[in-house]
mmCIF file with all atom_site columns, all heavy atoms in Angstrom:
data_model
loop_
_atom_site.group_PDB
_atom_site.id
_atom_site.type_symbol
_atom_site.label_atom_id
_atom_site.label_alt_id
_atom_site.label_comp_id
_atom_site.label_asym_id
_atom_site.label_entity_id
_atom_site.label_seq_id
_atom_site.pdbx_PDB_ins_code
_atom_site.Cartn_x
_atom_site.Cartn_y
_atom_site.Cartn_z
_atom_site.occupancy
_atom_site.B_iso_or_equiv
_atom_site.pdbx_formal_charge
_atom_site.auth_seq_id
_atom_site.auth_comp_id
_atom_site.auth_asym_id
_atom_site.auth_atom_id
_atom_site.pdbx_PDB_model_num
ATOM 1   N N   . PHE A 1 1  ? -8.135  8.875  9.049  1.00 98.00 ? 1  PHE A N   1
ATOM 2   C CA  . PHE A 1 1  ? -9.205  9.435  8.219  1.00 98.00 ? 1  PHE A CA  1
ATOM 3   C C   . PHE A 1 1  ? -9.220  10.962 8.252  1.00 98.00 ? 1  PHE A C   1
ATOM 4   O O   . PHE A 1 1  ? -9.467  11.609 7.232  1.00 98.00 ? 1  PHE A O   1
ATOM 5   C CB  . PHE A 1 1  ? -10.565 8.900  8.664  1.00 98.00 ? 1  PHE A CB  1
ATOM 6   C CG  . PHE A 1 1  ? -10.815 7.457  8.333  1.00 98.00 ? 1  PHE A CG  1
ATOM 7   C CD1 . PHE A 1 1  ? -11.737 6.722  9.055  1.00 98.00 ? 1  PHE A CD1 1
ATOM 8   C CD2 . PHE A 1 1  ? -10.139 6.825  7.297  1.00 98.00 ? 1  PHE A CD2 1
ATOM 9   C CE1 . PHE A 1 1  ? -11.992 5.383  8.750  1.00 98.00 ? 1  PHE A CE1 1
ATOM 10  C CE2 . PHE A 1 1  ? -10.381 5.495  6.987  1.00 98.00 ? 1  PHE A CE2 1
ATOM 11  C CZ  . PHE A 1 1  ? -11.312 4.774  7.718  1.00 98.00 ? 1  PHE A CZ  1
ATOM 12  N N   . ALA A 1 2  ? -8.975  11.559 9.431  1.00 97.00 ? 2  ALA A N   1
ATOM 13  C CA  . ALA A 1 2  ? -9.008  13.026 9.525  1.00 97.00 ? 2  ALA A CA  1
ATOM 14  C C   . ALA A 1 2  ? -7.944  13.652 8.627  1.00 97.00 ? 2  ALA A C   1
ATOM 15  O O   . ALA A 1 2  ? -8.228  14.589 7.876  1.00 97.00 ? 2  ALA A O   1
ATOM 16  C CB  . ALA A 1 2  ? -8.817  13.466 10.973 1.00 97.00 ? 2  ALA A CB  1
ATOM 17  N N   . THR A 1 3  ? -6.729  13.127 8.677  1.00 97.00 ? 3  THR A N   1
ATOM 18  C CA  . THR A 1 3  ? -5.650  13.677 7.850  1.00 97.00 ? 3  THR A CA  1
ATOM 19  C C   . THR A 1 3  ? -5.938  13.482 6.373  1.00 97.00 ? 3  THR A C   1
ATOM 20  O O   . THR A 1 3  ? -5.745  14.397 5.555  1.00 97.00 ? 3  THR A O   1
ATOM 21  C CB  . THR A 1 3  ? -4.310  13.015 8.217  1.00 97.00 ? 3  THR A CB  1
ATOM 22  O OG1 . THR A 1 3  ? -4.037  13.256 9.609  1.00 97.00 ? 3  THR A OG1 1
ATOM 23  C CG2 . THR A 1 3  ? -3.181  13.556 7.371  1.00 97.00 ? 3  THR A CG2 1
ATOM 24  N N   . GLU A 1 4  ? -6.417  12.295 6.007  1.00 97.00 ? 4  GLU A N   1
ATOM 25  C CA  . GLU A 1 4  ? -6.681  12.002 4.596  1.00 97.00 ? 4  GLU A CA  1
ATOM 26  C C   . GLU A 1 4  ? -7.765  12.910 4.035  1.00 97.00 ? 4  GLU A C   1
ATOM 27  O O   . GLU A 1 4  ? -7.616  13.485 2.945  1.00 97.00 ? 4  GLU A O   1
ATOM 28  C CB  . GLU A 1 4  ? -7.088  10.530 4.449  1.00 97.00 ? 4  GLU A CB  1
ATOM 29  C CG  . GLU A 1 4  ? -7.267  10.087 3.020  1.00 97.00 ? 4  GLU A CG  1
ATOM 30  C CD  . GLU A 1 4  ? -7.475  8.584  2.898  1.00 97.00 ? 4  GLU A CD  1
ATOM 31  O OE1 . GLU A 1 4  ? -6.917  7.825  3.701  1.00 97.00 ? 4  GLU A OE1 1
ATOM 32  O OE2 . GLU A 1 4  ? -8.220  8.179  1.972  1.00 97.00 ? 4  GLU A OE2 1
ATOM 33  N N   . ALA A 1 5  ? -8.851  13.058 4.767  1.00 98.00 ? 5  ALA A N   1
ATOM 34  C CA  . ALA A 1 5  ? -9.952  13.900 4.289  1.00 98.00 ? 5  ALA A CA  1
ATOM 35  C C   . ALA A 1 5  ? -9.587  15.375 4.337  1.00 98.00 ? 5  ALA A C   1
ATOM 36  O O   . ALA A 1 5  ? -9.867  16.133 3.402  1.00 98.00 ? 5  ALA A O   1
ATOM 37  C CB  . ALA A 1 5  ? -11.208 13.632 5.116  1.00 98.00 ? 5  ALA A CB  1
ATOM 38  N N   . ALA A 1 6  ? -8.943  15.809 5.433  1.00 97.00 ? 6  ALA A N   1
ATOM 39  C CA  . ALA A 1 6  ? -8.626  17.228 5.581  1.00 97.00 ? 6  ALA A CA  1
ATOM 40  C C   . ALA A 1 6  ? -7.594  17.686 4.567  1.00 97.00 ? 6  ALA A C   1
ATOM 41  O O   . ALA A 1 6  ? -7.648  18.829 4.089  1.00 97.00 ? 6  ALA A O   1
ATOM 42  C CB  . ALA A 1 6  ? -8.139  17.513 7.001  1.00 97.00 ? 6  ALA A CB  1
ATOM 43  N N   . SER A 1 7  ? -6.646  16.826 4.196  1.00 96.00 ? 7  SER A N   1
ATOM 44  C CA  . SER A 1 7  ? -5.667  17.235 3.185  1.00 96.00 ? 7  SER A CA  1
ATOM 45  C C   . SER A 1 7  ? -6.335  17.393 1.818  1.00 96.00 ? 7  SER A C   1
ATOM 46  O O   . SER A 1 7  ? -5.987  18.297 1.042  1.00 96.00 ? 7  SER A O   1
ATOM 47  C CB  . SER A 1 7  ? -4.498  16.250 3.118  1.00 96.00 ? 7  SER A CB  1
ATOM 48  O OG  . SER A 1 7  ? -4.926  14.958 2.764  1.00 96.00 ? 7  SER A OG  1
ATOM 49  N N   . ALA A 1 8  ? -7.334  16.550 1.521  1.00 97.00 ? 8  ALA A N   1
ATOM 50  C CA  . ALA A 1 8  ? -8.087  16.705 0.274  1.00 97.00 ? 8  ALA A CA  1
ATOM 51  C C   . ALA A 1 8  ? -8.884  18.002 0.275  1.00 97.00 ? 8  ALA A C   1
ATOM 52  O O   . ALA A 1 8  ? -8.955  18.712 -0.733 1.00 97.00 ? 8  ALA A O   1
ATOM 53  C CB  . ALA A 1 8  ? -9.005  15.509 0.062  1.00 97.00 ? 8  ALA A CB  1
ATOM 54  N N   . VAL A 1 9  ? -9.468  18.333 1.435  1.00 98.00 ? 9  VAL A N   1
ATOM 55  C CA  . VAL A 1 9  ? -10.241 19.573 1.552  1.00 98.00 ? 9  VAL A CA  1
ATOM 56  C C   . VAL A 1 9  ? -9.324  20.786 1.431  1.00 98.00 ? 9  VAL A C   1
ATOM 57  O O   . VAL A 1 9  ? -9.653  21.767 0.758  1.00 98.00 ? 9  VAL A O   1
ATOM 58  C CB  . VAL A 1 9  ? -11.022 19.579 2.883  1.00 98.00 ? 9  VAL A CB  1
ATOM 59  C CG1 . VAL A 1 9  ? -11.584 20.963 3.189  1.00 98.00 ? 9  VAL A CG1 1
ATOM 60  C CG2 . VAL A 1 9  ? -12.143 18.551 2.831  1.00 98.00 ? 9  VAL A CG2 1
ATOM 61  N N   . ARG A 1 10 ? -8.161  20.728 2.078  1.00 97.00 ? 10 ARG A N   1
ATOM 62  C CA  . ARG A 1 10 ? -7.179  21.811 1.959  1.00 97.00 ? 10 ARG A CA  1
ATOM 63  C C   . ARG A 1 10 ? -6.816  22.050 0.489  1.00 97.00 ? 10 ARG A C   1
ATOM 64  O O   . ARG A 1 10 ? -6.815  23.188 0.009  1.00 97.00 ? 10 ARG A O   1
ATOM 65  C CB  . ARG A 1 10 ? -5.933  21.430 2.759  1.00 97.00 ? 10 ARG A CB  1
ATOM 66  C CG  . ARG A 1 10 ? -4.756  22.391 2.624  1.00 97.00 ? 10 ARG A CG  1
ATOM 67  C CD  . ARG A 1 10 ? -3.436  21.664 2.883  1.00 97.00 ? 10 ARG A CD  1
ATOM 68  N NE  . ARG A 1 10 ? -3.201  20.599 1.907  1.00 97.00 ? 10 ARG A NE  1
ATOM 69  C CZ  . ARG A 1 10 ? -2.228  19.693 2.027  1.00 97.00 ? 10 ARG A CZ  1
ATOM 70  N NH1 . ARG A 1 10 ? -1.428  19.703 3.074  1.00 97.00 ? 10 ARG A NH1 1
ATOM 71  N NH2 . ARG A 1 10 ? -2.072  18.766 1.088  1.00 97.00 ? 10 ARG A NH2 1
ATOM 72  N N   . ASP A 1 11 ? -6.533  20.967 -0.242 1.00 96.00 ? 11 ASP A N   1
ATOM 73  C CA  . ASP A 1 11 ? -6.168  21.111 -1.640 1.00 96.00 ? 11 ASP A CA  1
ATOM 74  C C   . ASP A 1 11 ? -7.335  21.616 -2.484 1.00 96.00 ? 11 ASP A C   1
ATOM 75  O O   . ASP A 1 11 ? -7.137  22.361 -3.452 1.00 96.00 ? 11 ASP A O   1
ATOM 76  C CB  . ASP A 1 11 ? -5.654  19.777 -2.189 1.00 96.00 ? 11 ASP A CB  1
ATOM 77  C CG  . ASP A 1 11 ? -4.262  19.436 -1.661 1.00 96.00 ? 11 ASP A CG  1
ATOM 78  O OD1 . ASP A 1 11 ? -3.656  20.280 -0.968 1.00 96.00 ? 11 ASP A OD1 1
ATOM 79  O OD2 . ASP A 1 11 ? -3.780  18.321 -1.938 1.00 96.00 ? 11 ASP A OD2 1
ATOM 80  N N   . HIS A 1 12 ? -8.550  21.228 -2.138 1.00 97.00 ? 12 HIS A N   1
ATOM 81  C CA  . HIS A 1 12 ? -9.737  21.739 -2.831 1.00 97.00 ? 12 HIS A CA  1
ATOM 82  C C   . HIS A 1 12 ? -9.829  23.258 -2.653 1.00 97.00 ? 12 HIS A C   1
ATOM 83  O O   . HIS A 1 12 ? -10.117 23.992 -3.611 1.00 97.00 ? 12 HIS A O   1
ATOM 84  C CB  . HIS A 1 12 ? -10.974 21.047 -2.263 1.00 97.00 ? 12 HIS A CB  1
ATOM 85  C CG  . HIS A 1 12 ? -12.252 21.438 -2.921 1.00 97.00 ? 12 HIS A CG  1
ATOM 86  N ND1 . HIS A 1 12 ? -12.668 20.938 -4.131 1.00 97.00 ? 12 HIS A ND1 1
ATOM 87  C CD2 . HIS A 1 12 ? -13.237 22.295 -2.524 1.00 97.00 ? 12 HIS A CD2 1
ATOM 88  C CE1 . HIS A 1 12 ? -13.844 21.445 -4.458 1.00 97.00 ? 12 HIS A CE1 1
ATOM 89  N NE2 . HIS A 1 12 ? -14.204 22.285 -3.502 1.00 97.00 ? 12 HIS A NE2 1
ATOM 90  N N   . ALA A 1 13 ? -9.582  23.724 -1.434 1.00 97.00 ? 13 ALA A N   1
ATOM 91  C CA  . ALA A 1 13 ? -9.628  25.172 -1.175 1.00 97.00 ? 13 ALA A CA  1
ATOM 92  C C   . ALA A 1 13 ? -8.582  25.906 -2.013 1.00 97.00 ? 13 ALA A C   1
ATOM 93  O O   . ALA A 1 13 ? -8.863  26.970 -2.577 1.00 97.00 ? 13 ALA A O   1
ATOM 94  C CB  . ALA A 1 13 ? -9.405  25.448 0.307  1.00 97.00 ? 13 ALA A CB  1
ATOM 95  N N   . PHE A 1 14 ? -7.394  25.330 -2.141 1.00 97.00 ? 14 PHE A N   1
ATOM 96  C CA  . PHE A 1 14 ? -6.325  25.981 -2.894 1.00 97.00 ? 14 PHE A CA  1
ATOM 97  C C   . PHE A 1 14 ? -6.503  25.836 -4.406 1.00 97.00 ? 14 PHE A C   1
ATOM 98  O O   . PHE A 1 14 ? -6.435  26.814 -5.148 1.00 97.00 ? 14 PHE A O   1
ATOM 99  C CB  . PHE A 1 14 ? -4.970  25.381 -2.501 1.00 97.00 ? 14 PHE A CB  1
ATOM 100 C CG  . PHE A 1 14 ? -4.524  25.720 -1.094 1.00 97.00 ? 14 PHE A CG  1
ATOM 101 C CD1 . PHE A 1 14 ? -3.707  24.844 -0.394 1.00 97.00 ? 14 PHE A CD1 1
ATOM 102 C CD2 . PHE A 1 14 ? -4.905  26.904 -0.482 1.00 97.00 ? 14 PHE A CD2 1
ATOM 103 C CE1 . PHE A 1 14 ? -3.278  25.148 0.892  1.00 97.00 ? 14 PHE A CE1 1
ATOM 104 C CE2 . PHE A 1 14 ? -4.489  27.211 0.805  1.00 97.00 ? 14 PHE A CE2 1
ATOM 105 C CZ  . PHE A 1 14 ? -3.668  26.329 1.488  1.00 97.00 ? 14 PHE A CZ  1
ATOM 106 N N   . ASP A 1 15 ? -6.732  24.609 -4.854 1.00 96.00 ? 15 ASP A N   1
ATOM 107 C CA  . ASP A 1 15 ? -6.647  24.302 -6.285 1.00 96.00 ? 15 ASP A CA  1
ATOM 108 C C   . ASP A 1 15 ? -7.958  24.541 -7.043 1.00 96.00 ? 15 ASP A C   1
ATOM 109 O O   . ASP A 1 15 ? -7.935  24.784 -8.239 1.00 96.00 ? 15 ASP A O   1
ATOM 110 C CB  . ASP A 1 15 ? -6.209  22.851 -6.494 1.00 96.00 ? 15 ASP A CB  1
ATOM 111 C CG  . ASP A 1 15 ? -4.835  22.576 -5.887 1.00 96.00 ? 15 ASP A CG  1
ATOM 112 O OD1 . ASP A 1 15 ? -4.048  23.527 -5.763 1.00 96.00 ? 15 ASP A OD1 1
ATOM 113 O OD2 . ASP A 1 15 ? -4.559  21.415 -5.539 1.00 96.00 ? 15 ASP A OD2 1
ATOM 114 N N   . VAL A 1 16 ? -9.089  24.437 -6.343 1.00 96.00 ? 16 VAL A N   1
ATOM 115 C CA  . VAL A 1 16 ? -10.387 24.616 -6.997 1.00 96.00 ? 16 VAL A CA  1
ATOM 116 C C   . VAL A 1 16 ? -11.003 25.972 -6.658 1.00 96.00 ? 16 VAL A C   1
ATOM 117 O O   . VAL A 1 16 ? -11.480 26.687 -7.539 1.00 96.00 ? 16 VAL A O   1
ATOM 118 C CB  . VAL A 1 16 ? -11.351 23.464 -6.628 1.00 96.00 ? 16 VAL A CB  1
ATOM 119 C CG1 . VAL A 1 16 ? -12.720 23.686 -7.262 1.00 96.00 ? 16 VAL A CG1 1
ATOM 120 C CG2 . VAL A 1 16 ? -10.767 22.121 -7.056 1.00 96.00 ? 16 VAL A CG2 1
ATOM 121 N N   . LEU A 1 17 ? -10.965 26.347 -5.374 1.00 96.00 ? 17 LEU A N   1
ATOM 122 C CA  . LEU A 1 17 ? -11.574 27.609 -4.959 1.00 96.00 ? 17 LEU A CA  1
ATOM 123 C C   . LEU A 1 17 ? -10.614 28.790 -5.059 1.00 96.00 ? 17 LEU A C   1
ATOM 124 O O   . LEU A 1 17 ? -11.033 29.933 -4.916 1.00 96.00 ? 17 LEU A O   1
ATOM 125 C CB  . LEU A 1 17 ? -12.106 27.492 -3.526 1.00 96.00 ? 17 LEU A CB  1
ATOM 126 C CG  . LEU A 1 17 ? -13.166 26.411 -3.295 1.00 96.00 ? 17 LEU A CG  1
ATOM 127 C CD1 . LEU A 1 17 ? -13.608 26.414 -1.838 1.00 96.00 ? 17 LEU A CD1 1
ATOM 128 C CD2 . LEU A 1 17 ? -14.365 26.615 -4.213 1.00 96.00 ? 17 LEU A CD2 1
ATOM 129 N N   . GLY A 1 18 ? -9.321  28.509 -5.273 1.00 96.00 ? 18 GLY A N   1
ATOM 130 C CA  . GLY A 1 18 ? -8.365  29.585 -5.463 1.00 96.00 ? 18 GLY A CA  1
ATOM 131 C C   . GLY A 1 18 ? -7.954  30.324 -4.204 1.00 96.00 ? 18 GLY A C   1
ATOM 132 O O   . GLY A 1 18 ? -7.438  31.444 -4.275 1.00 96.00 ? 18 GLY A O   1
ATOM 133 N N   . LYS A 1 19 ? -8.155  29.722 -3.039 1.00 96.00 ? 19 LYS A N   1
ATOM 134 C CA  . LYS A 1 19 ? -7.761  30.368 -1.784 1.00 96.00 ? 19 LYS A CA  1
ATOM 135 C C   . LYS A 1 19 ? -6.248  30.316 -1.624 1.00 96.00 ? 19 LYS A C   1
ATOM 136 O O   . LYS A 1 19 ? -5.588  29.379 -2.052 1.00 96.00 ? 19 LYS A O   1
ATOM 137 C CB  . LYS A 1 19 ? -8.430  29.675 -0.594 1.00 96.00 ? 19 LYS A CB  1
ATOM 138 C CG  . LYS A 1 19 ? -9.950  29.664 -0.659 1.00 96.00 ? 19 LYS A CG  1
ATOM 139 C CD  . LYS A 1 19 ? -10.503 31.070 -0.633 1.00 96.00 ? 19 LYS A CD  1
ATOM 140 C CE  . LYS A 1 19 ? -12.020 31.073 -0.674 1.00 96.00 ? 19 LYS A CE  1
ATOM 141 N NZ  . LYS A 1 19 ? -12.572 32.446 -0.655 1.00 96.00 ? 19 LYS A NZ  1
ATOM 142 N N   . ARG A 1 20 ? -5.711  31.341 -0.947 1.00 96.00 ? 20 ARG A N   1
ATOM 143 C CA  . ARG A 1 20 ? -4.255  31.400 -0.743 1.00 96.00 ? 20 ARG A CA  1
ATOM 144 C C   . ARG A 1 20 ? -3.844  30.842 0.622  1.00 96.00 ? 20 ARG A C   1
ATOM 145 O O   . ARG A 1 20 ? -2.712  30.376 0.784  1.00 96.00 ? 20 ARG A O   1
ATOM 146 C CB  . ARG A 1 20 ? -3.757  32.837 -0.883 1.00 96.00 ? 20 ARG A CB  1
ATOM 147 C CG  . ARG A 1 20 ? -3.998  33.423 -2.275 1.00 96.00 ? 20 ARG A CG  1
ATOM 148 C CD  . ARG A 1 20 ? -3.110  34.608 -2.540 1.00 96.00 ? 20 ARG A CD  1
ATOM 149 N NE  . ARG A 1 20 ? -1.695  34.263 -2.489 1.00 96.00 ? 20 ARG A NE  1
ATOM 150 C CZ  . ARG A 1 20 ? -1.031  33.706 -3.498 1.00 96.00 ? 20 ARG A CZ  1
ATOM 151 N NH1 . ARG A 1 20 ? -1.661  33.410 -4.619 1.00 96.00 ? 20 ARG A NH1 1
ATOM 152 N NH2 . ARG A 1 20 ? 0.244   33.428 -3.369 1.00 96.00 ? 20 ARG A NH2 1
ATOM 153 N N   . THR A 1 21 ? -4.746  30.910 1.605  1.00 97.00 ? 21 THR A N   1
ATOM 154 C CA  . THR A 1 21 ? -4.438  30.451 2.960  1.00 97.00 ? 21 THR A CA  1
ATOM 155 C C   . THR A 1 21 ? -5.686  29.831 3.565  1.00 97.00 ? 21 THR A C   1
ATOM 156 O O   . THR A 1 21 ? -6.806  30.291 3.305  1.00 97.00 ? 21 THR A O   1
ATOM 157 C CB  . THR A 1 21 ? -3.987  31.629 3.855  1.00 97.00 ? 21 THR A CB  1
ATOM 158 O OG1 . THR A 1 21 ? -2.890  32.298 3.237  1.00 97.00 ? 21 THR A OG1 1
ATOM 159 C CG2 . THR A 1 21 ? -3.573  31.149 5.236  1.00 97.00 ? 21 THR A CG2 1
ATOM 160 N N   . VAL A 1 22 ? -5.517  28.782 4.353  1.00 98.00 ? 22 VAL A N   1
ATOM 161 C CA  . VAL A 1 22 ? -6.606  28.223 5.152  1.00 98.00 ? 22 VAL A CA  1
ATOM 162 C C   . VAL A 1 22 ? -6.104  28.052 6.582  1.00 98.00 ? 22 VAL A C   1
ATOM 163 O O   . VAL A 1 22 ? -4.895  27.994 6.832  1.00 98.00 ? 22 VAL A O   1
ATOM 164 C CB  . VAL A 1 22 ? -7.108  26.870 4.604  1.00 98.00 ? 22 VAL A CB  1
ATOM 165 C CG1 . VAL A 1 22 ? -7.810  27.056 3.276  1.00 98.00 ? 22 VAL A CG1 1
ATOM 166 C CG2 . VAL A 1 22 ? -5.988  25.842 4.504  1.00 98.00 ? 22 VAL A CG2 1
ATOM 167 N N   . ILE A 1 23 ? -7.053  27.978 7.501  1.00 98.00 ? 23 ILE A N   1
ATOM 168 C CA  . ILE A 1 23 ? -6.720  27.853 8.919  1.00 98.00 ? 23 ILE A CA  1
ATOM 169 C C   . ILE A 1 23 ? -7.449  26.662 9.532  1.00 98.00 ? 23 ILE A C   1
ATOM 170 O O   . ILE A 1 23 ? -8.344  26.076 8.907  1.00 98.00 ? 23 ILE A O   1
ATOM 171 C CB  . ILE A 1 23 ? -7.103  29.126 9.705  1.00 98.00 ? 23 ILE A CB  1
ATOM 172 C CG1 . ILE A 1 23 ? -8.648  29.302 9.716  1.00 98.00 ? 23 ILE A CG1 1
ATOM 173 C CG2 . ILE A 1 23 ? -6.414  30.356 9.135  1.00 98.00 ? 23 ILE A CG2 1
ATOM 174 C CD1 . ILE A 1 23 ? -9.152  30.177 10.827 1.00 98.00 ? 23 ILE A CD1 1
ATOM 175 N N   . SER A 1 24 ? -7.076  26.327 10.754 1.00 98.00 ? 24 SER A N   1
ATOM 176 C CA  . SER A 1 24 ? -7.867  25.459 11.621 1.00 98.00 ? 24 SER A CA  1
ATOM 177 C C   . SER A 1 24 ? -7.810  26.046 13.019 1.00 98.00 ? 24 SER A C   1
ATOM 178 O O   . SER A 1 24 ? -6.747  26.492 13.472 1.00 98.00 ? 24 SER A O   1
ATOM 179 C CB  . SER A 1 24 ? -7.338  24.021 11.628 1.00 98.00 ? 24 SER A CB  1
ATOM 180 O OG  . SER A 1 24 ? -7.671  23.351 10.440 1.00 98.00 ? 24 SER A OG  1
ATOM 181 N N   . LEU A 1 25 ? -8.955  26.082 13.685 1.00 98.00 ? 25 LEU A N   1
ATOM 182 C CA  . LEU A 1 25 ? -9.056  26.568 15.063 1.00 98.00 ? 25 LEU A CA  1
ATOM 183 C C   . LEU A 1 25 ? -9.080  25.366 15.996 1.00 98.00 ? 25 LEU A C   1
ATOM 184 O O   . LEU A 1 25 ? -9.979  24.528 15.910 1.00 98.00 ? 25 LEU A O   1
ATOM 185 C CB  . LEU A 1 25 ? -10.327 27.397 15.245 1.00 98.00 ? 25 LEU A CB  1
ATOM 186 C CG  . LEU A 1 25 ? -10.458 28.638 14.351 1.00 98.00 ? 25 LEU A CG  1
ATOM 187 C CD1 . LEU A 1 25 ? -11.822 29.283 14.530 1.00 98.00 ? 25 LEU A CD1 1
ATOM 188 C CD2 . LEU A 1 25 ? -9.350  29.636 14.667 1.00 98.00 ? 25 LEU A CD2 1
ATOM 189 N N   . ILE A 1 26 ? -8.100  25.280 16.893 1.00 98.00 ? 26 ILE A N   1
ATOM 190 C CA  . ILE A 1 26 ? -7.929  24.071 17.700 1.00 98.00 ? 26 ILE A CA  1
ATOM 191 C C   . ILE A 1 26 ? -7.678  24.460 19.153 1.00 98.00 ? 26 ILE A C   1
ATOM 192 O O   . ILE A 1 26 ? -6.857  25.337 19.449 1.00 98.00 ? 26 ILE A O   1
ATOM 193 C CB  . ILE A 1 26 ? -6.749  23.218 17.166 1.00 98.00 ? 26 ILE A CB  1
ATOM 194 C CG1 . ILE A 1 26 ? -6.966  22.900 15.681 1.00 98.00 ? 26 ILE A CG1 1
ATOM 195 C CG2 . ILE A 1 26 ? -6.600  21.940 17.983 1.00 98.00 ? 26 ILE A CG2 1
ATOM 196 C CD1 . ILE A 1 26 ? -5.805  22.181 15.024 1.00 98.00 ? 26 ILE A CD1 1
#
């Protein structure tokens, strides 16, 4: 579930919000 949801969120940041880079703090 984490990978499935997070990959959708990553693509939302790129394709809808127009971001060029995203991060995760781990």
Side-chain angles (χ1 to χ4, degrees):
F1 288 157
T3 301
E4 185 172 327
S7 61
V9 167
R10 174 206 62 190
D11 287 354
H12 182 79
F14 291 151
D15 300 334
V16 178
L17 300 180
K19 302 297 181 180
R20 298 200 61 81
T21 305
V22 292
I23 66 159
S24 285
L25 301 174
I26 305 174

